[in-house]
Amino acid sequence: MVSRVWSRTRSETGVAGVQREVTTEIVRRLVISVRQGLVTSPVVYRALIGHGVPIDATGGTSIGSLIAGGVAPGQSPEEIARQRRDAVFEQSPFDVTLPAVSLASGRRVTQRIKAGADGLDLEDGWRRVFAVSTNLTTGRAEIHRTGPGWQAIRANFSIPGVFPPVRTAADELLVDGGLLDNLPVGVMRASTRGSP
């Protein structure tokens, strides 16, 4: 058995502090499960809400950015599931094109993501939120914390060869963040350090 040393960085003390630390560890393990494909639906979010687990921040890459984009403004698990179904499963998101850059043109999935984002920017929610995409121009991970939510999510739908990259205002090309950081736990840790 491995012994564990608990350090409190939050303001809770006593039983409340220990409960918060245990809950945080459970959530970290759930995040890993979600990203590894063991749980890829809002079911985890529903369970967290049902158990009264506080959600201070949310983030993701690939399909996780879509879920995070719904959690941040406080959408219900049912609303997130509906948006995911509409964007990906109800009708094919593939609008096939001559494969010069990708198999699909990306117009259809872009329209659905824009509709689901409802004009919200990443900073509009009361929870901190981020999405991680891969910047092909710089060769680095791009961490989105501000700006159009649809663009950060759409960049994560840009699986190379399947959907075209998203072009930024700076003329850089963004694709799925899973190429460089398929489990952005370090980004989450850095963004929540010292939060209540």
Side-chain angles (χ1 to χ4, degrees):
M1 179 159 200
V2 176
S3 65
R4 190 129 179 126
V5 177
W6 295 97
S7 63
R8 286 187 194 74
T9 57
R10 303 188 186 281
S11 60
E12 292 101 339
T13 59
V15 173
V18 171
Q19 285 176 329
R20 178 72 179 227
E21 291 295 330
V22 168
T23 301
T24 300
E25 182 62 26
I26 291 169
V27 169
R28 281 187 188 128
R29 290 172 190 249
L30 281 171
V31 167
I32 290 169
S33 296
V34 168
R35 186 57 192 110
Q36 289 177 343
L38 301 175
V39 184
T40 57
S41 74
V43 171
V44 172
Y45 178 41
R46 185 179 301 116
L48 294 173
I49 291 172
H51 286 87
V53 175
I55 300 173
D56 300 323
T58 183
T61 190
S62 296
I63 194 72
S65 67
L66 179 67
I67 304 298
V71 171
Q75 291 178 345
S76 71
E78 292 72 28
E79 179 67 11
I80 294 170
R82 184 194 60 74
Q83 286 180 350
R84 191 181 78 161
R85 257 190 327 274
D86 290 351
V88 181
F89 300 115
E90 287 298 317
Q91 273 188 349
S92 172
F94 297 100
D95 39 2
V96 180
T97 186
L98 182 64
V101 174
S102 61
L103 295 174
S105 73
R107 282 190 293 270
R108 190 177 300 163
V109 77
T110 299
Q111 290 169 347
R112 291 183 187 160
I113 291 171
K114 279 184 175 180
D118 198 27
L120 294 175
D121 288 340
L122 291 173
E123 64 271 23
D124 287 344
W126 64 270
R127 290 183 179 109
R128 285 171 291 202
V129 64
F130 69 88
V132 179
S133 65
T134 299
N135 187 320
L136 292 178
T137 308
T138 64
R140 295 188 176 140
E142 184 88 13
I143 302 169
H144 306 268
R145 297 183 202 278
T146 60
W150 75 265
Q151 189 175 37
I153 294 169
R154 174 59 182 83
N156 276 288
F157 268 76
S158 295
I159 301 166
V162 178
F163 291 109
V166 169
R167 188 177 303 274
T168 68
D171 214 26
E172 296 178 336
L173 300 176
L174 306 177
V175 296
D176 187 344
L179 295 175
L180 292 181
D181 190 357
N182 69 347
L183 186 60
V185 174
V187 178
M188 177 63 82
R189 186 174 295 125
S191 69
T192 60
R193 204 169 263 134
S195 65

